[in-house]
Amino acid sequence: MLLAAGGDVDFMIHGLFKYELFGQELWITTTHVSILVVMLVLMVFAVAANYKIRHADEVPGGFQNIVELIVEFLDKMVYGSMGKNGKKFLNYIGSLFLFILVSNISGLFGLRAPTADYGVTLPLGLMTFAIIQYNNIKYNKFGAFTGLFKPLPFLFPINLIGEIAVPFSLSLRLFGNVLSGTVMMSLIYSLLSRFAIGWPGILHIYFDVFSGAIQTYVFCMLTMVYTTDKMPE
Amino acid sequence: MSDRGLVLACSAIGAGLAMIAGIGPGIGQGIAAGYGASAVGRNPGAKSDIMSTMLLGQAVAETTGLYGLAIAFILLFANPLLGKL
C-alpha cells in the first residue's frame, strides 16, 4: 500500500522474523532490533559510568566529565521544574530522557529510530499517564474525581477528555516528529540518491540531532509539568 | 478508472489537503518565537527560563499540525477506505 512515489522509497517497519504465540502471528521487526541496540548502548554506558564514578578521580577528566555533565544537566532540569518534589522523579525522568534521546539520535547511525514506531511511543505516553494519575489520586484523594466537575458540573466531559488525551498527544507528538524526520531523510536518500553525497549531513543535524533533542526535552518537560500540576505546592 | 484507482487518487489528494493543517502551527510557533526573542531582548538574564517556556509552548502548539500529519500518513500507508471496496 505504498502510495507515495512507488519504487524504492523505504521507511516502513520491516518484519524480520515470524513466530507464533498462543495462536497469534507475531513479528520481530526492525524496531525491536534498533531498540535492542539502543538498550545495549545505554547499558554499556551505564556500567562504564558506574565503574568510573566508583573509581572517581579528584580532578575529573575525559569520561568522568561527560558523566557528571549529564547528571548535572538532568538534576538541573528536574529540580528546576519540579522543585522539592523532584527527588522521587529523578530516576524516571532521567531514564526516559536518555532512552528517548539515544533512540532519536540512532537515526544517525543507520538504524530506523525506534521512536518512529507508534508501538514504542504510546507505551511511553501511557507510563506517563499512569504516573500522573497515581500522583493525582495519592495527593488529591477523592478530589481527583470531584476535580473533574470543577469549575462547573457540566464541563465534566471536556475535563475527562482533557485528562485522557494527555498520553495520546504526548506520544503522537514524539512519533510525528521523529517519523517526519525519518520520512524526509529516506525521501532524500532514495529520490536524490545520485546527488545525495555529503550535504544530507546538514539535514541529519536538523532532523535527527536538533529535532530529536528538542522533542526529548519537550516530552520530559511535559511529563514533569503535568505531574507537578497534580501535586500540592 | 477502477474503483481502487479512484480511492487511491482521492486519498492522495486528501493527504495533501490534510497537510494544510501545517499553516496554523507555523504561524503560532513563529509568534511564540517572536515574543520569546523580544522577551530576551528586554531581560537577557532570564534567557534560559524564557527558552524553556517558549519551547514548551511551541511543542503544545505543534500538536494540531501533527494530527494533520497523522491523518495524512493514515491515508497514505494504512488506508481504511480501501477495505470498504
Side-chain angles (χ1 to χ4, degrees):
Chain A
M1 214 176 289
L2 199 78
L3 218 154
D8 50 358
V9 182
D10 180 33
F11 49 83
M12 300 299 280
I13 306 158
H14 293 286
L16 298 175
F17 173 74
K18 188 168 77 170
Y19 64 98
E20 289 210 359
L21 193 70
F22 304 122
Q24 291 273 358
E25 191 181 279
L26 298 172
W27 286 87
I28 295 287
T29 60
T30 40
T31 305
H32 291 95
V33 175
S34 28
I35 223 169
L36 276 175
V37 173
V38 168
M39 272 162 56
L40 217 65
V41 167
L42 280 176
M43 276 179 192
V44 169
F45 178 77
V47 169
N50 190 9
Y51 178 82
K52 188 67 199 172
I53 293 298
R54 273 174 200 277
H55 303 83
D57 301 325
E58 192 70 33
V59 181
F63 185 62
Q64 195 185 337
N65 254 332
I66 298 173
V67 175
E68 286 183 6
L69 197 76
I70 294 172
V71 173
E72 271 170 17
F73 171 74
L74 289 175
D75 269 355
K76 215 176 95 184
M77 187 177 82
V78 174
Y79 287 114
S81 78
M82 296 192 91
K84 62 178 175 21
N85 293 322
K87 199 166 185 300
K88 282 183 290 184
F89 294 92
L90 194 55
N91 287 332
Y92 176 66
I93 304 285
S95 22
L96 200 65
F97 189 92
L98 289 178
F99 174 71
I100 298 177
L101 185 66
V102 177
S103 298
N104 288 350
I105 290 179
S106 69
L108 267 183
F109 302 102
L111 294 171
R112 190 183 185 282
T115 34
D117 184 343
Y118 197 54
V120 175
T121 55
L122 182 63
L124 291 176
L126 287 177
M127 262 151 60
T128 293
F129 181 67
I131 284 183
I132 293 168
Q133 293 307 324
Y134 171 75
N135 283 295
N136 193 5
I137 293 174
K138 184 179 167 194
Y139 286 101
N140 296 334
K141 300 287 185 295
F142 200 65
F145 302 103
T146 52
L148 289 175
F149 293 94
K150 284 172 190 168
L152 292 169
F154 66 86
L155 289 177
F156 169 71
I158 296 175
N159 285 334
L160 191 67
I161 291 172
E163 290 289 328
I164 293 175
V166 164
F168 296 104
S169 71
L170 266 179
S171 54
L172 263 179
R173 183 175 303 123
L174 183 58
F175 168 71
N177 273 286
V178 180
L179 183 68
S180 61
T182 310
V183 170
M184 288 296 288
M185 288 323 292
S186 61
L187 280 180
I188 285 163
Y189 279 126
S190 51
L191 297 182
L192 297 175
S193 50
R194 266 184 220 169
F195 312 102
I197 305 160
W199 60 265
I202 300 163
L203 296 172
H204 265 300
I205 291 175
Y206 179 74
F207 285 121
D208 288 338
V209 180
F210 178 71
S211 172
I214 293 276
Q215 289 310 315
T216 311
Y217 181 72
V218 161
F219 193 97
C220 294
M221 272 311 261
L222 282 176
T223 300
M224 289 188 287
V225 166
Y226 284 134
T227 314
T228 333
D229 205 35
K230 303 293 183 199
M231 291 176 155
E233 291 303 314
Chain B
M1 188 191 280
S2 67
D3 283 357
R4 194 183 147 81
L6 183 68
V7 168
L8 287 180
C10 291
S11 302
I13 294 173
L17 288 179
M19 286 318 293
I20 294 177
I23 293 176
I27 294 173
Q29 290 184 334
I31 290 174
Y35 279 112
S38 76
V40 172
R42 241 179 282 127
N43 185 2
K47 190 181 175 198
S48 63
D49 278 352
I50 293 168
M51 276 288 278
S52 69
T53 313
M54 186 190 82
L55 284 177
L56 206 64
Q58 287 184 329
V60 175
E62 201 176 14
T63 314
T64 49
L66 288 170
Y67 290 154
L69 182 74
I71 301 230
F73 273 125
I74 287 172
L75 281 177
L76 286 180
F77 302 113
N79 199 326
L81 303 173
L82 278 178
K84 299 205 168 152
L85 283 178

